[in-house]
Amino acid sequence: MKNLFAIYKNDRESAYDDFVIRRLSSSTAEKIDRAEKAGESLDKKHSAPQWMFFTYLPALALGILMIVAMIIASDGFKHAYEARGYLLYIGIALAIYGLACRVFIAIKKKRAAADPDAGNFIEEAKKLAAECYKELAVPEGAVDMDIGMPLVKKDKEGRDKRLAASSTSYLNYSFKVFKEGENICFADGEQVVGVPAACFKKAVRVDKHMYLVQWNKEEHYDDEKFASFNIKRNGYGAFHVRPFYALIAEMGGETFEITIPPYEMSAFSKLLQLEIVDESV
């Protein structure tokens, strides 16, 4: 089974290519490319190095643990310091490093928020998005829905295989989802993918964690609106939910899944009612 919106490593093809019903014009697509390059330039200007996000929290935690372990040592702090005082200094160094990285990241975020170039870019991006959705004939009543997009690669037999490092992680991109004729349509701002409603067979409730790399909703993730979904955020900034849902569709002789977080199931059900079953996928 393929994930319809999977992101393929080292491959520009997508599983949904055969189901695209319309795309942006080349001129509008060029506008998007220019906007993406401008966004990347701003991101480099205001973002801390990626390695910093993944190292500061473990360093801080380990440093604090080492310091506390020395203070409450069973043989007393004085004896512990005389015997293995170097551990205390390592702990202090790790804690200082972690705190310094955290402060650096916070400063970068504050500067980004105050940068007029960033504000102007956001406004221009909103206008461009509206232009794209208009060109794609996306109706105003379309629902903003998170779709989980896993990172996969092809194995030697040409089958899809999740990358080990991201077996439970998804890039959750916000699609405009709507019903058009006999299709359930998914618009990502560059194209519209149409899945015949009759091809959807069921919704599978998967009792596993789904890790989402970003939060796309206007409301905060711990807003009362999402309280029943018990959304958590880990130290690396990812959000995780459990369970999640896999919408199963059979098209062109193949079986596909579309993975969505639990807070999107009710919105999809308003477009198309599916039988919900408990199962592992």
Side-chain angles (χ1 to χ4, degrees):
M1 180 165 56
K2 294 181 179 179
N3 190 297
L4 188 63
F5 293 107
I7 300 172
Y8 288 85
K9 184 181 180 183
N10 303 325
D11 194 344
R12 295 185 63 85
E13 294 184 1
S14 300
Y16 59 75
D17 284 343
D18 292 337
F19 309 106
V20 174
I21 58 178
R22 50 185 177 269
R23 302 179 191 273
L24 290 177
S25 63
S26 58
S27 60
T28 307
E30 288 175 2
K31 289 182 181 180
I32 291 178
D33 288 339
R34 291 195 294 270
E36 287 179 348
K37 289 178 181 178
E40 289 172 0
S41 178
L42 275 173
D43 187 57
K44 288 180 180 179
K45 178 181 176 182
H46 292 296
S47 294
Q50 193 69 23
W51 55 263
M52 193 173 288
F53 286 95
F54 292 99
T55 60
Y56 87 86
L57 191 62
L60 180 60
L62 181 59
I64 293 174
L65 182 64
M66 293 176 71
I67 293 171
V68 172
M70 288 291 292
I71 293 174
I72 64 172
S74 59
D75 53 349
F77 174 75
K78 183 177 180 180
H79 185 272
Y81 178 76
E82 292 174 349
R84 49 190 183 277
Y86 64 93
L87 292 178
L88 176 64
Y89 292 111
I90 292 175
I92 292 173
L94 286 171
I96 291 174
Y97 165 80
L99 287 171
C101 288
R102 185 68 188 91
V103 171
F104 180 77
I105 292 170
I107 291 173
K108 281 282 188 178
K109 288 183 178 179
K110 287 184 178 180
R111 287 179 177 175
D115 188 347
D117 289 339
N120 292 335
F121 173 78
I122 292 173
E123 289 303 314
E124 290 301 318
K126 288 180 179 179
K127 292 179 182 178
L128 180 56
E131 179 182 339
C132 292
Y133 288 129
K134 183 177 180 180
E135 183 176 320
L136 292 171
V138 175
E140 291 187 5
V143 179
D144 291 313
M145 188 178 299
D146 279 0
I147 304 293
M149 305 166 69
L151 185 61
V152 303
K153 65 178 180 180
K154 296 285 188 181
D155 63 15
K156 294 180 179 179
E157 286 73 35
R159 295 172 301 191
D160 288 2
K161 181 179 179 181
R162 294 289 298 269
L163 296 184
S166 62
S167 59
T168 59
S169 296
Y170 293 79
L171 171 60
N172 51 310
Y173 188 84
S174 183
F175 284 70
K176 296 282 189 181
V177 185
F178 56 98
K179 193 169 185 179
E180 181 179 276
E182 300 301 317
N183 290 332
I184 301 297
C185 295
F186 302 82
D188 65 358
E190 297 186 37
Q191 61 239 322
V192 177
V193 176
V195 179
C199 291
F200 283 99
K201 302 305 177 184
K202 60 184 176 181
V204 178
R205 184 189 294 109
V206 185
D207 190 22
K208 296 179 182 177
H209 280 104
M210 170 186 255
Y211 288 87
L212 309 172
V213 300
Q214 59 195 11
W215 184 251
N216 296 320
K217 302 300 183 181
E218 291 184 4
E219 303 90 348
H220 199 265
Y221 74 94
D222 61 0
D223 186 88
E224 184 179 352
K225 179 179 178 180
F226 303 104
S228 63
F229 302 109
N230 196 29
I231 302 169
K232 302 293 184 182
R233 190 176 190 182
N234 64 23
Y236 300 109
F239 302 86
H240 58 95
V241 293
R242 182 175 183 173
F244 64 92
Y245 290 85
L247 311 174
I248 309 301
E250 296 177 359
M251 302 180 290
E254 292 188 270
T255 301
F256 297 89
E257 67 174 0
I258 299 173
T259 41
I260 62 174
Y263 52 81
E264 300 292 19
M265 191 62 218
S266 62
F268 186 83
S269 295
K270 292 178 182 178
L271 296 172
L272 181 65
Q273 286 285 340
L274 292 175
E275 177 190 10
I276 298 176
V277 299
D278 291 303
E279 188 178 331
S280 295
V281 296

